Amino acid sequence: MLSVTFLAATLAACSTTTSDEASVSAGTSVNDTADEPSTTLDDVEFLGDLDLFADIDFGIAQDEDIPSEPGELVPVECPESYTNTELLCLIVTVPLDYDNPAQGNTEISMGVWVGSDAGQTMVMLQGGPGGASSQLADFYPPQSYTQVFIDQRGTGFSGNSLDCTEYDEVIIAAWEATGDEADLIGDAALADCATRLNADPLVAHTNSKSHAADVAYVMELLDSDNWMLYGVSYGSTIALEVLRDPPPELQAVVLDGVYPPDIDQTTALARSARRALDSITAACEADVYCASVIGDVNSTMNELIERLNANPVEVPLAAEDTRLGEALTVSLDGDLLADIVFDYLYQEYLISFVPALLAGVFAGDERLIHSLTAFGVDYDAALLAQVSEGTYFAVSCSDRLATTTPPPEGLDAFQTVVLGEGLAPDCAHWDVPSAPPAQPVSSELPVLMLAGQFDPITPVTLARQAAVTLVNSVVVEREGLSHGIWASGDACVDAIAADFVADPRADVDISCSYEANPMRFIAL
C-alpha cells in the first residue's frame, strides 16, 4: 500500500502546513471553525493600472464564462476556505499538450496578490506533487512585490480535479485497521481512483514538464519583463524544470527544500528519513532535558515500531478530538506510529515534542498516546483534504519511475515503513507514460537554495547535489529548522532571502546561517 506517510513524504506540505496544523501539539487538538469568506472581487479595477494586468477583463466570471480558448485569464470567486481576502483568483486556459496543440486545452487555477512594487513579481510554487500553490497565499506573508501562485494541474479550483475521493472515503476504516488489512483498504481505494481518472486525458498530460510549461505560459500571458521564481519542496522540481529552458524574463530562483528531478526517490527518501532521526538524536544528546528523558531517539523509534506492530494499542478518539467530527477507535500499530512521527518531522515546532512523546509511548502513558494519535489523524485528514492524489501519481509515475529503484535490503524499521513497497506497485494502476530518466539542470542564473537541519525529505545533501550544475547558486542550511524554512519566521533566513530578492546578482551575506540555533525540546 502507498501509506499516508509515503504520500506525505513527497508532498509540501504540502510541505508546508497551515497554522491550524502547526498548533496541534502533544496536548491539543483543532476543531473545525467557520471559514472566513473571501472578498467578492467586485472592485478590482485598480489592477488594470499595472501593466502586468492591463489586458485582463476584471468582471467576475460565472461557470459558463470560463474560457475555452488558450491564453485567456478570467477572474473567479476564490474558494470560501481561502482566508487571504486580498487574493485575486483566476482561471487560465492552457494547451493540454504544448508539443501537440491538437490534443486540446485544459484549465488551471491561479492566485495573485498584488504588491506595491509594480516592477517585480515572484511566482510561488507549492509542493506535492498534488499541492495547490494558491493555498500558499494563506500563510506566506505579503511582500512589496507581486506574488503569482500558479496551481499544478488537477489541483486548486479550476474544476479539473484529480483528487482521489475514493481514498478519502476509506481513510477512517484504514485508521481503525492494522497491518495488511489497512494496506488492502488503501490499495483498493487508490486502484478504484486510478480506474476512474485514467479516462481523463489530463492524467497523461500532468507531469513536471507540463507544470513548468504552464508557469512559462502564464507569465508570458501576464507580460512580465522581470520575474523571479520560488519553489518549495516538489515546487522546487517544477522551478528547476523552468530553469532548464528559462524564459528570458526570468531573473532568479529561490528553492526552499530542493528536490532535484534526477534523484532515485527511494534511495533519497531512505537516506533522508534516517538522517532526520539521526539529527534529532544528536540534538537531543546536546540538550540536558531531552537527554534525561530518552536515550537514542532513533533506536527508541525503531524499537517502538516493532513492539507496537506485535501488540497494537486501541486508542478511542471522541468526535471533538479531530477535525473529522466523528468518533473512531484507532489501532495504533508500529507502522501508524512511524507515519505520525514522520509527519512531526516536517516542522521544527512539532519536532520539539518528539522525544517526550516517544518516551511517553515507550512508558505506556495513555495521555500522550491519545494526544499523539489524535494529532496523527487530524494532520492526515488535513493533508488529504489539501492534496490531489491523482496529480501525485500522474507526476510521480511519469517523472520518477524510470529512476526509482525498489526498496533495498538492510533498512531499519522506520525506513521500511516510510518507503512502504515503493512507487512501482501503485504506478501499475495508472495509465501514465514513463518519461526518460531526467538529467541534472544546468543554469547560470542566480539561485538561492534553502535547507533545514531536520528536513526528512529534502535535506541539504540534495541542494548540494543540484548546486553542482547551478554555477551561480548559494546553498544555505539552517540549524534548528526543518522543511520549507522561508515560512518558518526565522529572522536569519528572512534576511538572506530578502537580500537575494533585492539583488540576486550581488554577493549574499549568509554568515548568520552559521550562528547557533539549537532545538529546544519541550517537556510534557
Side-chain angles (χ1 to χ4, degrees), residues 183-195:
D183 291 347
L184 290 172
I185 292 170
D187 285 343
L190 290 172
D192 289 345
C193 177
T195 298

Side-chain angles (χ1 to χ4, degrees), residues 22-72:
S23 68
V24 183
S25 66
T28 62
S29 64
V30 174
N31 298 319
D32 282 333
T33 56
D35 291 320
E36 292 289 336
S38 59
T39 56
T40 62
L41 302 177
D42 288 333
D43 183 17
V44 291
E45 288 83 358
F46 72 94
L47 293 177
D49 295 334
L50 299 176
D51 291 341
L52 188 65
F53 301 98
D55 296 326
I56 300 178
D57 178 4
F58 289 106
I60 303 304
Q62 305 300 319
D63 289 344
E64 63 269 18
D65 297 325
I66 300 301
S68 59
E69 295 298 321
E72 296 184 63

